[in-house]
Amino acid sequence: MKFLLRDDPEMAKLVKQEEVRIDSTLNLIAAENHSPRSIMEIMGSIFNTKTIEGYPGNRHHAGCKHVDTVENLAIERAKAVFGAEFVNVQPHSGTSANLAVYFSVLDVGDRILSMSLPHGGHLSHGHRASATSRCFNFKHYALDPSTERIDYEMVRKMALRFQPKMIVTGASSYPRLIDYKKMSEIAKEISAYLLADIAHLAGLVAGKAIPSPVPHCDFVTFTCYKTLMGGRGGMILAKEEFAKKINKSVFPGTQGTSAVNLIAAKAVIMKLASDPKFIEIQKQTLENAAYMASCLVEKGYRVVTGGTDNHQVVVDLSNKGITGAQAEQCLEDCGIVLNRNVVPADAKQPGKTSGIRIGTGALSARYMGKEQMSTIVEWMNQLINNPENPEIQDAVKAGVNDLCTRFPVYANGHDIF
Ligand SMILES: *Cc1c(COP(=O)(O)O)cnc(C)c1O
């Protein structure tokens, strides 16, 4: 980064510090992952400077010869990875992708049924703080209080009563697989469109570690920086019949020029998605999460739904005398980075919460396995039970440091791929 060092030494220093932080801490944030270096290279490449509007072969500016190839590559590779009929790679984020899907086939005021945020849904699924709730008429389904899982019969009953034009399935915090076939049967019964938002799961789906929603849904959206491992920004997969509507809804409907560097990064990660290392990381992510959940249960933790089928474990700390926020802080102080999280029907404020959410994507990208998972759970358990014990804190810090050195992310020229 020699030019950054010359132009803005303060920022160059922050880059260095962040590099050190990433390498010397354990990342258990379910919504993050480590990216291969090639992703960082392409995002910082010359493709930052091109302005594009429109689509390959039909642009509003000249000079698009190479960026047209870039966008077509991203589209073709994504179609192959996900078995999708149609792909739009321009959304700036998962939220923009959802907005574009809503506006592609719905009118302002139309009804949408989605999962409620406190039960694991996402802001862009019609939460009152999101502009989506001002444009459309949302109703939210909750989880079954006894199983903490989706009650498909209840979703069906709500759908029959509410008659939404679209059903959104997918969540930010839901450790179980979603039965997309059942969801599509409900949508068909009321002639509603079905959108699956797989922001968290895209890498697992691309790596064929879990079933794909693509055959069952009209639309599938996701963002690239979670289990998918890279780049920023979102994508929309759709049935061919919606191609024109989606393209118009993304540009000029809800976005202006798109970011060529991000589109190029999407192309690169779609190439890497068929690399045996990517597939191994996704498989390991799944195994590590299941194993971590079982280690936590063994130590007396209440794991939401009793376990996991994906990369997430949601832990209810109500019986541990510590809030999610306190746990987050005491773990971060010792190099274990994760986030506080509401548990279904949480009695505490969203800022405090009763739980924490664990994700195993980034640990698996460092090629950690079961042995490391059980060690990390042991450390977490010690800290949660003794949040203010300096000896325990020092011992965990030393252990984290050692583990991070043995499983580097970027240190000393290391790379994930
Ligand atoms: C993270 C997430 C998104 C948001 O993606 P952004 O790129 O941050 O806008 C959308 N939907 C779900 C379910 C998510 O978990």
Side-chain angles (χ1 to χ4, degrees):
M1 296 227 156
K2 64 179 179 199
F3 297 106
L4 184 66
L5 196 60
R6 180 193 68 191
D7 294 348
D8 189 344
E10 190 183 358
M11 194 54 74
K13 190 173 161 206
L14 284 166
V15 171
K16 210 68 241 140
Q17 287 172 334
E18 179 66 357
E19 245 177 64
V20 171
R21 186 192 70 83
I22 286 172
D23 249 280
S24 61
T25 56
L26 297 169
N27 184 354
L28 281 72
I29 295 181
E32 290 185 11
N33 212 327
H34 299 305
S35 282
R37 281 181 184 270
S38 55
I39 294 292
M40 252 84 78
E41 280 181 357
I42 189 74
M43 284 201 294
S45 72
I46 204 83
F47 286 124
N48 263 307
T49 58
K50 187 79 193 96
T51 296
I52 55 165
E53 285 178 328
Y55 291 94
N58 182 21
R59 303 287 194 189
H60 297 227
H61 305 83
C64 288
K65 187 170 145 190
H66 299 304
V67 301
D68 278 7
T69 308
V70 167
E71 185 162 349
N72 282 328
L73 261 181
I75 291 168
E76 291 311 316
R77 288 176 179 173
K79 275 187 187 172
V81 166
F82 290 102
E85 291 176 15
F86 166 80
V87 177
N88 185 302
V89 292
Q90 293 193 1
H92 297 318
S93 68
T95 298
S96 326
N98 286 342
L99 201 61
V101 169
Y102 300 154
F103 277 112
S104 70
V105 291
L106 302 180
D107 288 316
V108 168
D110 278 350
R111 291 183 292 271
I112 306 178
L113 182 65
S114 63
M115 191 194 275
S116 95
L117 183 88
H119 285 245
H122 189 258
L123 287 161
S124 65
H125 300 175
H127 187 264
R128 65 180 180 282
S130 158
T132 54
S133 75
R134 295 207 241 154
C135 301
F136 303 101
N137 177 6
F138 278 88
K139 216 178 207 39
H140 295 115
Y141 53 88
L143 298 174
D144 179 321
S146 60
T147 62
E148 300 175 306
R149 297 184 191 219
I150 296 170
D151 175 347
Y152 294 92
E153 196 40 44
M154 189 189 69
V155 173
R156 180 173 168 267
K157 279 188 188 139
M158 277 181 83
L160 288 173
R161 216 177 312 128
F162 184 53
Q163 292 288 319
K165 272 204 180 166
M166 183 180 285
I167 296 178
V168 181
T169 182
S172 285
S173 176
Y174 186 67
R176 295 297 178 175
L177 296 180
I178 290 173
D179 189 337
Y180 300 114
K181 186 159 176 286
K182 251 186 207 161
M183 280 292 184
S184 81
E185 284 161 7
I186 297 168
K188 283 205 181 85
E189 196 177 343
I190 55 162
S191 300
Y193 299 108
L194 181 62
L195 160 63
D197 179 345
I198 58 165
H200 266 267
L201 309 174
L204 297 168
V205 173
K208 315 240 172 342
I210 61 171
S212 169
V214 171
H216 306 290
C217 299
D218 300 301
F219 310 99
V220 176
T221 56
F222 56 87
T223 188
C224 301
Y225 59 88
K226 297 181 182 173
T227 50
L228 193 55
M229 304 182 74
R232 309 293 307 186
M235 271 198 224
I236 301 170
L237 318 178
K239 297 268 186 265
E240 184 61 40
E241 60 182 296
F242 302 111
K244 276 214 178 86
K245 283 183 172 165
I246 289 289
N247 278 351
K248 266 172 44 191
S249 186
V250 174
F251 175 86
T254 52
Q255 289 191 174
T257 58
S258 45
V260 186
N261 60 327
L262 300 194
I263 291 174
K266 290 169 200 177
V268 175
I269 201 68
M270 285 299 105
K271 175 166 190 295
L272 293 179
S274 50
D275 188 300
K277 284 186 186 160
F278 181 94
I279 292 163
E280 184 197 328
I281 288 169
Q282 299 301 334
K283 193 168 145 260
Q284 194 65 51
T285 298
L286 213 62
E287 286 176 17
N288 282 344
Y291 187 65
M292 251 187 162
S294 71
C295 293
L296 284 157
V297 168
E298 209 170 89
K299 293 196 183 301
Y301 286 84
R302 197 187 83 75
V303 170
V304 170
T305 75
T308 178
D309 300 324
N310 57 29
H311 65 303
Q312 299 182 352
V313 184
V314 183
V315 189
D316 182 354
L317 299 173
S318 307
N319 61 348
K320 295 284 173 186
I322 187 169
T323 67
Q326 287 165 331
E328 176 188 300
Q329 187 62 56
C330 86
L331 293 168
E332 184 177 5
D333 288 345
C334 295
I336 299 173
V337 183
L338 48 65
N339 61 281
R340 61 185 174 277
N341 212 82
V342 292
V343 299
D346 204 320
K348 293 201 175 72
Q349 300 286 323
K352 286 206 168 78
T353 79
S354 300
I356 50 175
R357 186 182 61 176
I358 293 168
T360 51
L363 298 179
S364 307
R366 295 175 102 149
Y367 300 97
M368 291 184 188
K370 280 186 177 174
E371 188 189 330
Q372 290 73 42
M373 297 307 116
S374 83
T375 306
I376 295 167
V377 168
E378 177 58 38
W379 290 334
M380 289 171 62
N381 182 45
Q382 288 175 8
L383 292 169
I384 286 167
N385 287 323
N386 311 279
E388 281 164 43
N389 180 320
E391 273 123 64
I392 289 176
Q393 286 169 336
D394 286 346
V396 173
K397 278 182 203 168
V400 167
N401 205 40
D402 173 59
L403 193 56
C404 289
T405 312
R406 286 195 290 124
F407 293 86
V409 191
Y410 305 120
N412 304 318
H414 190 266
D415 185 26
I416 292 163
F417 275 75

